[in-house]
């Protein structure tokens, strides 16, 4: 009975209740209890038709410098209106956390996947972090096993390396959390490239290891929302690589299976191939992968096509256009669905709006940030899963 009651409480309350008794401390810290609590949290999120917790990553200007905030916001859709209380915005200022407070370009810190209440953050160089905002835990991962030491300044024609992409997810077969990183090696001023390599970090071993696998494309960065983890697979927007020359060809979606540790390409709709000004981002809609295709002029989206993957088509890439959102003045880019008919977007002035594509009603939310192209939003389920 105690387990049934406690498993319905928030992580914040449970962290306090560990002080009640030694038996409660051991009980709440038990990984089996964390699994039960997570299962109930997921069930509650799926069954709730009115309230959703969204985690925003945003840049705010403070003391003439950019600071990263992770903000948890509870959105509700009561009486055809989006409700949000200003005091319900819970911020975790990453600049106050020691591993993040020094030596980072904070505007480049991105969410590279989230699963079971754990967020993966990376600055796309050496540093990768795992964070549980509900527990206020942050962990810096060990150094890469593939990346080379930084060469001395002005060193010419020396083999160098850089991180190309990072993704976080869950291996349901081995029941472990993994981070995958793609590394590129090159010589000189980006003149001579070598085939990409990949490494995998597992939380259980707290170490990286190289995986020998073919990587058929190279990841490209178009927006912070151009990658996503969903049901055991991590997805990035990418460009197909020519096997002989390593030249980049058409746009694809590079996918990584967390269980089998294999990469494969998935075709994207032809509309994304038409122009360099056509951008794409990824989300989840009604338990399917959703792809946003939008044309940008002067920083403003002219239209947004929403495509939905039919089941799990994998290599085939079966897409169906769900709808087209007509141009909305001042809108920069789509973020994510937070309801079956509500889409979060970020405006060019840095404010977040919620758009109901059935009623065409646009509602402003009290969430703001600078550098709108670095905005990210994910549906969040709090958990007791420790990053340690």
């Amino acid at each position: 009975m105690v387990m049934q009651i406690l498993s319905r409480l928030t992580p914040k309350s449970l962290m306090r209740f560990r002080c009640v008794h030694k038996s409660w401390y051991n009980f709440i810290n038990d990984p089996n209890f964390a699994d039960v609590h997570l299962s109930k949290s997921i069930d509650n999120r799926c069954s709730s038709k009115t309230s959703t917790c969204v985690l925003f990553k945003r840049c705010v200007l403070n003391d003439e410098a950019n600071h990263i905030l992770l903000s948890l916001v509870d959105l509700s859709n009561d009486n055809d209106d989006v409700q949000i209380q200003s005091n319900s915005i819970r911020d975790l200022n990453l600049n106050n956390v020691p591993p993040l407070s020094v030596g980072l370009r904070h505007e480049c810190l991105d969410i590279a996947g989230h699963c079971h209440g754990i967020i993966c953050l990376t600055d796309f160089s050496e540093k990768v972090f795992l964070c549980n905002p509900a527990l206020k835990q942050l962990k810096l991962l060990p150094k890469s096993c593939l990346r080379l030491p930084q060469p001395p300044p002005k060193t010419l024609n020396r083999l160098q390396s850089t991180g190309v992409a990072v993704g976080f997810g869950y291996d349901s077969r081995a029941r472990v959390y993994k981070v995958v990183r793609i590394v590129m090696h090159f010589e000189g001023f980006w003149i001579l490239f070598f085939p990409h390599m990949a490494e995998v970090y597992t939380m259980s071993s707290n170490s990286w290891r190289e995986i020998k696998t073919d990587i058929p494309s190279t990841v490209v960065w178009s927006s912070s929302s151009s990658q996503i983890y969903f049901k055991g697979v991590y997805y990035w927007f990418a460009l197909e690589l020519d096997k002989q020359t390593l030249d980049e060809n058409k746009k694809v979606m590079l996918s990584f299976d967390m269980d089998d540790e294999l990469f494969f390409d998935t075709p994207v709709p032809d509309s994304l191939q038409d122009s360099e000004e056509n951008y794409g981002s990824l989300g989840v809609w009604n338990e399917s992968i959703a792809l946003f295709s939008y044309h940008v002029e002067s920083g403003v989206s002219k239209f947004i096509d929403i495509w939905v993957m039919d089941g799990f088509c994998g290599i085939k890439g079966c897409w169906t256009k769900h709808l087209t959102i007509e141009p909305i003045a001042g809108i920069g880019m789509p973020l994510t669905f937070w309801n079956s008919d509500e889409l979060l977007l970020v405006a060019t002035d840095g404010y977040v709006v919620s758009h109901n594509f059935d009623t065409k009603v646009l509602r402003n939310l009290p969430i703001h940030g600078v550098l709108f192209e670095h905005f990210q939003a994910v549906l969040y389920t709090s958990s007791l899963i420790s990053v340690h």
Side-chain angles (χ1 to χ4, degrees), residues 66-137:
N66 293 329
H67 289 251
I68 288 290
L69 285 181
L70 290 183
S71 303
L72 289 171
V73 180
D74 292 314
L75 298 178
S76 60
N77 203 358
D78 299 325
N79 300 321
D80 295 325
D81 191 17
V82 179
Q83 302 293 331
I84 180 173
Q85 300 294 327
S86 295
N87 57 9
S88 72
I89 301 176
R90 307 180 298 282
D91 291 331
L92 175 62
N93 190 339
L94 297 181
N95 296 76
N96 296 331
V97 182
L100 281 173
S101 57
V102 180
L104 278 178
R105 292 179 59 201
H106 289 100
E107 68 272 15
C108 294
L109 196 68
D110 266 3
I111 295 176
H114 67 100
C115 177
H116 298 170
I118 298 177
I119 307 295
C120 180
L121 299 165
T122 180
D123 65 348
F124 293 101
S125 64
E126 175 66 36
K127 295 180 175 66
V128 180
F129 302 87
L130 293 180
C131 172
N132 185 326
L135 300 182
K136 296 185 178 179
Q137 290 183 345

Side-chain angles (χ1 to χ4, degrees), residues 25-64:
Y25 179 88
N26 293 331
F27 186 77
I28 293 172
N29 283 343
D30 189 330
N32 292 324
F33 175 73
D35 290 340
V36 173
H37 181 270
L38 174 65
S39 178
K40 290 191 180 299
S41 297
I42 293 174
D43 289 343
N44 290 338
R45 190 194 75 183
C46 294
S47 61
S48 177
K49 297 181 179 180
T50 59
S51 179
T52 303
C53 182
V54 181
L55 183 137
F56 292 93
K57 188 223 75 177
R58 54 191 175 124
C59 263
V60 296
L61 189 62
N62 189 6
D63 299 327
E64 298 184 354

Side-chain angles (χ1 to χ4, degrees), residues 148-149 151 157-161 185-188 194:
L148 303 174
N157 300 325
R158 178 171 172 176
L159 185 63
Q160 302 179 55
S161 64
H185 292 84
F186 61 95
E187 279 187 6
F194 297 89

Side-chain angles (χ1 to χ4, degrees), residues 235-251:
Y235 303 90
W236 302 268
F237 273 112
L239 293 174
E240 191 179 59
L241 283 175
D242 186 285
K243 300 297 183 184
Q244 301 298 324
T245 64
L246 297 183
D247 289 339
E248 298 168 348
N249 295 318
K250 63 181 181 180
K251 299 174 185 176

Side-chain angles (χ1 to χ4, degrees), residues 230-231 235 253 266 285-290 308-314 317-320:
F230 183 64
K231 291 186 176 179
Y235 303 90
M253 200 160 62
T266 300
W285 181 77
N286 286 352
E287 291 302 300
S288 295
I289 289 288
V308 177
M309 185 183 287
D310 299 330
F312 181 74
C313 292
C318 310
W319 298 97
T320 300

